[in-house]
Amino acid sequence: MPLSKQPSIFTEGQSPEEAARAFLAVAKQFQLETLPTEQRHPKTTSLSELSKNDLPKAISILKGIDVEALGVLERQMDRILQLRRAITDTVSSGRRVFLCGCGATGRLSLTLEVLWRQRASPQLSDSVVGFMAGGDVALISAVESFEDAPQFAVRQLKDLGFQKGDLLICSSEGGETPFVIGAVEHAAAYSTWRRPFFLYCNPDSALRNRVERSKRVLDDGRIEKINLSVGPMAISGSTRMQASTVLLGAIGIALLFDDPDAARREIIELAGDSDFQFLAKYIETESSIYDNSGLVYYDTSETLGISVLTDTTERSPTFSLAPFDNSNDPNPQPSLAYLLFSNADSSESAWSKLLLRQPRALDWRAHLEKAGLTRLLGFDFSRGIIERRQKRFPNLSQHIFRIVDEGDSLFFSLGNLDHRSRWEGASPLARHILLKLLLNIHSTLVMGRLGRYEGNVMTWVRASNLKLIDRAIRYATTILEDRGITRFTYADVAFELFRQMKRIGPTESIVLSTVNSLKAAADNPIPSDS
């Protein structure tokens, strides 16, 4: 049976060697090193050093890459206007718009639903439905096996009530995510007179030559495509950065504005004109808190909460940090950063303030433990969580980082630091994109100071799906080659990586543990029998 029909290629009880062989049997479908979004950005090859020794330069480089990426929107304005017309026609005819993604694009889909709800009349507030692989709980912690399973996308879409005449807008940073492709292909076949849209950030030629499932979408005349190629990410493969920013901008402009071109100019001008250098002191302070056994609460409110949540939760898979600790877990590892709604008195209230609706958990029997409502509400970011976490982690100091929309300004406060960035008159989308850029740069450089990448290579990436397993293998190979070790094949590294998966904890580096083991093997080869 082809991979696209399977929920997972792995089975319970497999040995590391069996799991490695299962992966290698399908690895060609997930070896994405030729895609620009997976390659190393030439401007950030020394980013890890700059994060420790020259924060102003690091901030300037990252801001420049972000602003340059936003310029990509201009070349696709005709297609964005077409998307705008499709959205307007759908809503005016009484149908609904569905926004679909995985990981970072799933979070941007839910962000756009929140922004829609902030501006829509009560009669139209439910006209836009954002969803991601695994349901709302995946905002905080990915649900295992969903991103690689197209059939789960179809089931989620059906559960949400997708009907003929509804519009589906799918985004995939790389253009190859199986879950997203499953959703868009289902919509193309089912809602034949309302073509779904597929937005992505790699060149068509690169996808056609490398990824069969992507080629299938590109060749399907029933699907509208918008290519937003932005080149390499500032951190290699970290599509939570420039790719998801451009996708958020493109869909948000089409969804939320009567004049998309004016909205595009506003977003670029606000990002370009804003001062980012104030971040240096905040980066130094937050990284120092972590170095001294502290935790940080990002205290915000419903107007900015979804973007603050997005950055804090995306640190976990990108840098192998503990995800938000769940109140239902008996012995959780503490999350270094945690969202806080100090104006919410319960988990239910906090989730409602975050999403401006009741949360949507999956009630699928096989996935209740990881994606059900009990699990979701266990991620509690109401004000009571401070006292509960203090009891759980008494040896860790707690610190509040306030990020507030003051109307005419964005206010940051941490320790004895205060800063206001003017954004008077800016639209909510422009504000969220600016906040996203600031937080992405902030968290990336905090993680650099904590040693969570080398140069611009994600040495602490979590290998949680097939694409990320390939990424971890490639990064381990790159680091070995940088150290002069070239004897190991892709398969050799894969087998060792799966062995290390069995040995290390969830917050350890699978890449570095694989590198260290293979380096030891190279330094101390087992002599062959003579």
Side-chain angles (χ1 to χ4, degrees):
M1 184 164 58
L3 177 65
S4 63
K5 299 295 184 184
Q6 296 181 353
S8 174
I9 63 167
F10 307 119
T11 58
E12 194 171 343
Q14 278 180 317
S15 69
E17 289 73 20
E18 290 170 333
R21 280 191 286 270
F23 171 75
L24 289 169
V26 299
K28 202 168 194 181
Q29 301 178 51
F30 297 91
Q31 290 173 328
L32 307 176
E33 72 277 1
T34 60
L35 300 183
T37 54
E38 291 294 315
Q39 294 167 13
R40 299 177 72 173
H41 200 293
K43 294 182 180 179
T44 58
T45 53
S46 60
L47 189 64
S48 59
E49 280 301 309
L50 291 175
S51 72
K52 298 167 187 172
N53 301 314
D54 194 345
L55 278 172
K57 184 174 181 180
I59 292 166
S60 179
I61 289 171
L62 292 177
K63 179 187 176 182
I65 292 171
D66 282 334
V67 173
E68 181 181 2
L70 286 170
V72 170
L73 295 170
E74 183 174 8
R75 74 166 184 248
Q76 286 290 12
M77 281 310 299
D78 287 347
R79 302 289 291 140
I80 293 171
L81 287 168
Q82 182 184 356
L83 176 59
R84 169 68 185 165
R85 289 190 291 271
I87 291 170
T88 301
D89 182 63
T90 301
V91 175
S92 63
S93 64
R95 308 309 306 171
R96 292 192 292 171
V97 176
F98 288 75
L99 308 172
C100 170
C102 280
T105 56
R107 294 183 186 94
L108 77 83
S109 297
L110 288 164
T111 296
L112 289 168
E113 181 191 350
V114 169
L115 291 178
W116 172 269
R117 288 179 176 276
Q118 287 178 359
R119 68 183 285 276
S121 65
Q123 297 89 340
L124 294 178
S125 61
D126 292 327
S127 296
V128 172
V129 179
F131 74 102
M132 66 186 297
D136 289 350
V137 72
L139 273 166
I140 292 173
S141 181
V143 182
E144 187 176 350
S145 79
F146 267 68
E147 294 191 9
D148 293 326
Q151 71 277 17
F152 288 171
V154 177
R155 184 174 174 184
Q156 281 189 236
L157 200 53
K158 290 179 177 178
D159 284 356
L160 290 167
F162 182 76
Q163 299 291 323
K164 290 183 178 180
D166 290 337
L167 174 65
L168 177 66
I169 304 170
C170 287
S171 56
S172 168
E173 304 105 316
E176 37 60 45
T177 313
F179 181 95
V180 175
I181 287 175
V184 78
E185 289 186 327
H186 170 74
Y190 176 71
S191 188
T192 53
W193 55 276
R194 180 87 69 191
R195 291 182 178 181
F197 279 74
F198 183 74
L199 291 85
Y200 53 102
C201 297
N202 275 310
D204 289 6
S205 57
L207 289 168
R208 287 181 189 280
N209 293 337
R210 195 66 179 178
V211 189
E212 177 58 36
R213 59 188 177 276
S214 302
K215 182 178 184 297
R216 200 169 60 235
V217 172
L218 295 175
D219 290 342
D220 193 333
R222 303 169 301 174
I223 300 171
E224 300 286 351
K225 277 77 69 173
I226 302 181
N227 186 304
L228 296 163
S229 296
V230 292
M233 302 294 100
I235 295 289
S236 55
S238 184
T239 50
R240 82 182 186 113
M241 298 185 75
Q242 289 74 39
S244 67
T245 299
V246 169
L247 290 165
L248 176 64
I251 302 171
I253 286 169
L255 180 69
L256 301 169
F257 293 91
D258 294 327
D259 187 347
D261 202 50
R264 174 189 62 80
R265 291 193 300 270
E266 177 202 22
I267 289 166
I268 294 173
E269 288 172 6
L270 181 63
D273 294 344
S274 295
D275 171 34
F276 284 35
Q277 288 298 329
F278 79 91
L279 289 172
K281 292 294 184 183
Y282 287 84
I283 293 163
E284 291 172 348
T285 299
E286 184 165 339
S287 57
S288 176
I289 288 170
Y290 299 144
D291 283 337
N292 289 282
S293 301
L295 306 176
V296 175
Y297 292 92
Y298 277 73
D299 185 13
T300 188
S301 61
E302 46 265 51
T303 56
L304 301 178
I306 191 71
S307 288
V308 176
L309 173 79
T310 292
D311 183 82
T312 50
T313 59
E314 285 176 350
R315 300 177 191 189
S316 170
T318 307
F319 303 111
S320 287
L321 301 177
F324 285 9
D325 38 278
N326 193 288
S327 299
N328 297 314
D329 292 342
N331 297 297
Q333 289 187 293
S335 172
L336 295 181
Y338 210 100
L339 183 69
L340 173 65
F341 275 6
S342 55
N343 63 344
D345 58 8
S346 68
S347 181
E348 293 88 344
S349 171
W351 276 95
S352 296
K353 288 177 181 293
L354 176 75
L355 298 172
L356 302 184
R357 58 165 170 78
Q358 293 301 306
R360 302 187 192 107
L362 300 187
D363 60 359
W364 305 358
R365 180 173 298 177
H367 298 278
L368 277 176
E369 184 178 349
K370 294 292 186 182
L373 186 61
T374 299
R375 179 69 180 172
L376 181 146
L377 293 177
F379 294 113
D380 179 5
F381 36 91
S382 65
R383 59 174 171 263
I385 196 63
I386 296 180
E387 183 178 350
R388 287 194 290 276
R389 294 184 86 221
Q390 203 159 33
K391 290 178 180 177
R392 275 190 163 185
F393 313 119
N395 297 322
L396 302 177
S397 61
Q398 303 197 64
H399 306 261
I400 305 295
F401 190 160
R402 296 191 68 233
I403 298 179
V404 181
D405 183 354
E406 294 186 329
D408 60 354
S409 301
L410 170 64
F411 177 65
F412 275 42
S413 173
L414 175 62
N416 62 358
L417 301 174
D418 288 339
H419 179 82
R420 285 177 172 84
S421 295
R422 299 287 298 180
W423 60 11
E424 188 173 7
S427 67
L429 178 64
R431 295 180 183 210
H432 276 263
I433 288 177
L434 175 61
L435 178 58
K436 180 184 187 303
L437 299 183
L438 289 167
L439 290 177
N440 283 174
I441 290 174
H442 172 84
S443 60
T444 295
L445 295 177
V446 168
M447 291 299 109
R449 293 172 73 85
L450 298 183
R452 294 282 162 156
Y453 50 89
E454 290 187 16
N456 59 6
V457 176
M458 285 197 298
T459 47
W460 286 73
V461 63
R462 180 171 293 147
S464 57
N465 59 40
L466 298 175
K467 176 173 73 174
L468 296 182
I469 290 170
D470 166 71
R471 191 179 285 172
I473 293 168
R474 288 189 284 108
Y475 291 171
T477 303
T478 295
I479 294 169
L480 285 166
E481 290 173 349
D482 288 346
R483 297 178 183 179
I485 301 170
T486 59
R487 58 176 279 193
F488 297 109
T489 66
Y490 184 93
D492 292 335
V493 179
F495 274 103
E496 186 56 38
L497 183 131
F498 277 92
R499 292 186 194 105
Q500 294 301 319
M501 282 186 184
K502 289 284 187 179
R503 296 172 183 164
I504 69 171
T507 58
E508 296 179 75
S509 170
I510 186 65
V511 173
L512 294 180
S513 63
T514 300
V515 166
N516 292 337
S517 180
L518 290 175
K519 184 178 184 301
D523 292 342
N524 302 284
I526 299 173
S528 58
D529 293 336
S530 56

